[in-house]
Amino acid sequence: MWYELGDIYLGMGYIRDYCTKYKRDIHTHIPRLLVHGVCHLLGYDHVKDSDYKKMLAKENYIWRRMKVLN
């Protein structure tokens, strides 16, 4: 079964500027943004501290699962 959750758009200019300003590697930052975006598509948010903790836990869960698959 296939579910369409929505779209994720990445503004490469914004990402490049962010990575330059905060000295982040763009090749590691983009996957982080994608995982973050997937969490938003799944209904997670980070408006309140409690929501942030739940979303961060889901992001970490996804990262752990991805490392198993790599």
Side-chain angles (χ1 to χ4, degrees):
M1 186 173 285
W2 177 261
Y3 296 98
E4 187 171 329
L5 299 175
D7 300 314
I8 297 174
Y9 292 93
L10 300 177
M12 293 308 294
Y14 173 81
I15 294 169
R16 206 171 20 256
D17 292 346
Y18 178 91
C19 288
T20 300
K21 181 177 180 180
Y22 293 103
K23 296 178 175 47
R24 304 270 170 111
D25 177 44
I26 196 167
H27 300 291
T28 57
H29 192 60
I30 289 174
R32 290 233 165 252
L33 290 173
L34 288 172
V35 168
H36 187 82
V38 167
C39 286
H40 277 299
L41 292 176
L42 293 172
Y44 290 87
D45 206 340
H46 45 81
V47 175
K48 295 186 264 178
D49 284 344
S50 59
D51 295 335
Y52 171 77
K53 290 176 185 176
K54 290 176 189 173
M55 187 168 179
L56 184 60
K58 180 55 80 173
E59 288 178 3
N60 289 332
Y61 171 79
I62 292 170
W63 278 111
R64 284 192 308 274
R65 297 290 295 175
M66 287 175 58
K67 290 186 185 212
V68 168
L69 298 174
N70 287 336

